[in-house]
Amino acid sequence: MTAEEARALRAVLAARAAAAPAGGAAATTRRPSTPARPAARRRPAPRGRRRGRRSGAPARRVALRSWLPAADGRRWRVRLSLAALGLVLPVLAGVVSPTTQPSGTTAGPTDATGLALAAQGTMLDAATRYRGLQQDLTARQVELAAARAAEQAAEQQLALARETVGTGAADLYRSPAEVRTPVVGLDVHVPSATPDVLHVAALSEQVARELSLDVVHAERAAAAVAQAARRVAVAEAAAATVVQQAAAVLEQVRTEVGGLRSDVAAQLAALGTGRAAAAQHETNQQALRRWQDHLGALALAGIVSPPAAALADPTALPDGLSPALDAAGQPVPGIALGVAGNRPVTVLPAETVAAVSSALAQLGKPYAPGGAGPDAYDCGGLAATSWLLAGHAVPGTPGEQWSRGAAVPLSQLQVGDLVFTDGGSDVGIHLGEGQVVTASAAGYQVGVRPLADAAGAVRVTLPAPAQPNPALPAGTAGRGPCGAPPAPVGLVSPAWGGWSNGRIPATALCPVARGHALRCDAAAGYTALADAYRAAFGSPLCITDSYRSLGAQVTAFRTKPELAAVPGTSNHGWALAVDLCGGIHTGGNAQSAWMAANAGRFGFVQPDWARPGGEKPEPWHWEFGHLA
């Protein structure tokens, strides 16, 4: 905290204390619809055990716990607490100006921060419950598939048993009387025929017994079919119940989002804690300010973003709104126009406002393949999570998001649309002004990027198409998911993200072990490597060093100048190198042989200088990729 920020914080606390009631307790704000509760009489605490309460500490702090998600509650609780501490100052600095409050309200910017934190907690809790229900639904669908397979097998057994019984009965019906009842063939006048007749009678009895057994098998098969059908019905009912519960959670989120004030949504967008390099940080902040200015204009004009359902029909829009038209004069579905002052402004659905604000709140978070938050994201995970926090469930991969979304022409792009590039392998959330917010594999962070070579777009708030959208044209050759650059040939520069060596913030990295972190894609590779190592040796992969800050490099160089790199040049300073132990560090054993044979499958290689016979053999040193 700088001196200016400290003075600003003290000024706010002093203002709160001055505004407190005469009794000394700071006044707390309530939602307009919440009646004030009468003060409860309290028994005075014993002397020496009274605890003071800080002026201005609202009861909302306790209530927030119930809004935090069950699974990720601890991590999100820490992040929300840090955000609450760190966001007082940006608010004071005018990130969200007090003038952006809707007319007629008395809540100040600090109150908007608290409401934004509370709303985010509610949305995160609902998202966690929804994802838990999706996992439950997956299990129920597996059970349903097994029940249907068992039912199909039982039906096949029943059909076979019935066919056997039917064939036997038909053969018996068509056989002559002496075959059905051989004893009629006995003749006292032909005693020599008696053994043959008795033999035929025995065979007939055996056939009758087998036919009776076939009938029993058929009856049991029919009972098995009935039981399998009951299991299918139970599994279907269980799956349908989970689907209904998930739909109810989404409806709850949409209801919560529908009551989100514009100034609160603007503050929600500023709840991020990740850092970015200087140039990227400025780009991020400009986009954030532009979005907050838009929401501030709506708030000043008294315009409340309606739910998406209210904007579905351009001929029946809420009062004060008119259809938005494209260049050809055709209504743009899902949005409307309002008037702020003397100029028109675009009015987006409440869900879109929440999704965009939630995405901007992740600025600076690191990129990780398959990441869906809260610590790291990939491009599809960021889009899916942002919209889930707005009450809309979309698939987690760009390909599925495109194929199952409501496609809109690129000429009608609006803020909040999912925009696809590179043949549908990369996706971002449109921000207008030729920009998207995305988790980029090229920049290794969530950030605002220029929109280039858009191939298609979908609008989440519109009904999904009956048939999947056709595949998009092929993108840039060699690029991977989320804009990952083509695989390099030969040595590559380890620099990334705009950071200098040893000065990468912890928020841009992903942990791999206690006290150790790497760039998130390297961390994903290391985790997979560690899992394979454990499967091979039954013990965890031993690590002694990973990311090394500039200060740590200086210390290492002073301690071991013959081993450590010159400070500011170590690949440990790029969070792309590890030093291992557990036998690997000595070389010439099963562990080091396994690493040499398998580490490359997970992206880790040993540079030539560190190999046996190299310039400076270090069997413990491994790097993520062939680094210069």
Side-chain angles (χ1 to χ4, degrees):
M1 182 180 298
T2 65
E4 291 78 11
E5 291 171 339
R7 285 194 294 272
L9 180 57
R10 285 195 294 269
V12 170
L13 296 177
R16 283 189 173 185
T28 59
T29 59
R30 288 189 176 92
R31 295 179 182 269
S33 60
T34 304
R37 295 185 179 180
R41 298 183 61 185
R42 296 182 180 178
R43 186 187 311 172
R47 184 178 301 275
R49 295 183 59 188
R50 296 184 181 180
R51 291 182 295 178
R53 185 176 180 180
R54 290 186 299 173
S55 174
R60 188 184 301 112
R61 179 181 305 164
V62 177
L64 270 174
R65 289 184 179 271
S66 63
W67 281 319
L68 291 171
D72 294 334
R74 182 173 301 172
R75 288 186 295 173
W76 279 113
R77 192 175 294 118
V78 172
R79 283 156 179 75
L80 294 182
S81 300
L82 293 175
L85 177 64
L87 283 173
V88 174
L89 300 176
V91 171
L92 295 174
V95 174
V96 180
S97 171
T99 60
T100 62
Q101 302 290 336
S103 57
T105 64
T106 58
T110 305
D111 299 319
T113 301
L115 292 175
L117 285 167
Q120 187 186 62
T122 302
M123 294 154 65
L124 290 170
D125 174 55
T128 299
R129 287 188 286 119
Y130 179 84
R131 284 174 169 160
L133 288 170
Q134 289 300 105
Q135 294 177 352
D136 192 13
L137 178 60
T138 300
R140 295 289 180 268
Q141 289 173 337
V142 171
E143 294 174 357
L144 178 58
R148 285 175 173 166
E151 182 184 31
Q152 184 178 8
E155 288 175 345
Q156 292 174 351
Q157 291 293 329
L158 175 59
L160 182 61
R162 284 176 173 173
E163 182 181 0
T164 302
V165 171
T167 301
D171 291 343
L172 183 62
Y173 176 79
R174 288 192 294 267
S175 62
E178 59 270 18
V179 174
R180 293 196 302 271
T181 54
V183 294
V184 301
L186 292 175
D187 189 343
V188 296
H189 302 291
V190 188
S192 61
T194 299
D196 293 336
V197 172
L198 294 177
H199 179 67
V200 172
L203 293 177
S204 178
E205 290 176 359
Q206 182 178 355
V207 170
R209 285 195 300 269
E210 292 175 353
L211 183 58
S212 298
L213 289 176
D214 290 338
V215 171
V216 172
H217 291 161
E219 291 173 348
R220 291 177 177 175
V225 168
Q227 184 179 13
R230 288 192 294 271
R231 290 177 178 172
V232 169
V234 170
E236 288 177 339
T241 299
V242 176
V243 170
Q244 292 173 356
Q245 292 172 341
V249 170
L250 294 178
E251 181 62 31
Q252 175 192 349
V253 177
R254 290 194 292 271
T255 301
E256 174 75 16
V257 165
L260 201 63
R261 292 184 344 215
S262 296
D263 62 318
V264 176
Q267 192 58 47
L268 174 63
L271 293 182
T273 58
R275 292 169 51 195
Q280 184 63 54
H281 178 76
E282 181 59 28
T283 300
N284 293 347
Q285 291 304 306
Q286 288 178 357
L288 174 61
R289 286 192 293 268
R290 188 173 69 248
W291 174 244
Q292 291 178 321
D293 288 345
H294 171 75
L295 295 179
L298 294 180
L300 285 175
I303 298 175
V304 178
S305 295
L311 301 179
D313 185 358
T315 64
L317 297 174
D319 293 341
L321 301 182
S322 58
L325 305 179
D326 62 11
Q330 298 299 315
V332 179
I335 67 168
L337 288 181
V339 177
N342 59 354
R343 64 184 183 86
V345 291
T346 301
V347 179
L348 301 166
E351 297 94 319
T352 302
V353 172
V356 173
S357 293
S358 296
L360 290 173
Q362 310 310 313
L363 288 172
K365 294 290 182 66
Y367 166 88
D375 300 309
Y377 298 86
D378 67 5
C379 57
L382 177 68
T385 298
S386 300
W387 273 103
L388 181 58
L389 295 176
H392 286 267
V394 299
T397 63
E400 290 181 306
Q401 290 166 0
W402 162 253
S403 65
R404 296 164 57 181
V408 294
L410 294 176
S411 60
Q412 292 187 356
L413 271 182
Q414 296 297 325
V415 173
D417 290 348
L418 301 184
V419 187
F420 301 88
T421 56
D422 284 334
S425 64
D426 194 6
V427 62
I429 300 176
H430 191 226
L431 298 177
E433 302 294 330
Q435 291 180 325
V436 295
V437 56
T438 182
S440 171
Y444 303 103
Q445 275 189 312
V446 177
V448 176
R449 312 281 176 189
L451 175 60
D453 301 326
V458 301
R459 190 158 299 154
V460 177
T461 55
L462 298 180
Q467 299 295 330
N469 295 321
L472 292 170
T476 305
R479 298 194 73 88
C482 300
V489 177
L491 297 177
V492 296
S493 170
W496 62 276
W499 310 104
S500 59
N501 187 291
R503 298 190 182 276
I504 303 172
T507 54
L509 303 175
C510 286
V512 294
R514 181 183 294 273
H516 295 284
L518 295 170
R519 195 175 72 188
C520 288
D521 56 340
Y526 179 89
T527 301
L529 172 67
D531 290 342
Y533 183 90
R534 181 186 290 272
F537 293 98
S539 59
L541 185 60
C542 180
I543 181 172
T544 62
D545 203 0
S546 54
Y547 171 63
R548 194 180 294 168
S549 67
L550 186 60
Q553 292 182 54
V554 171
T555 300
F557 188 75
R558 287 174 178 173
T559 305
K560 301 177 181 179
E562 70 283 356
L563 292 177
V566 175
T569 65
S570 172
N571 284 339
H572 286 284
W574 299 116
L576 294 173
V578 294
D579 288 345
L580 304 177
C581 47
I584 298 174
H585 64 294
T586 60
N589 52 34
Q591 289 83 354
S592 59
W594 185 91
M595 281 292 295
N598 294 277
R601 295 191 291 122
F602 307 98
F604 281 87
V605 297
Q606 196 166 43
D608 292 337
W609 59 264
R611 294 178 180 178
E615 177 185 353
K616 191 174 61 172
E618 292 184 3
W620 57 84
H621 184 90
W622 294 79
E623 298 177 350
F624 188 69
H626 295 276
L627 307 178

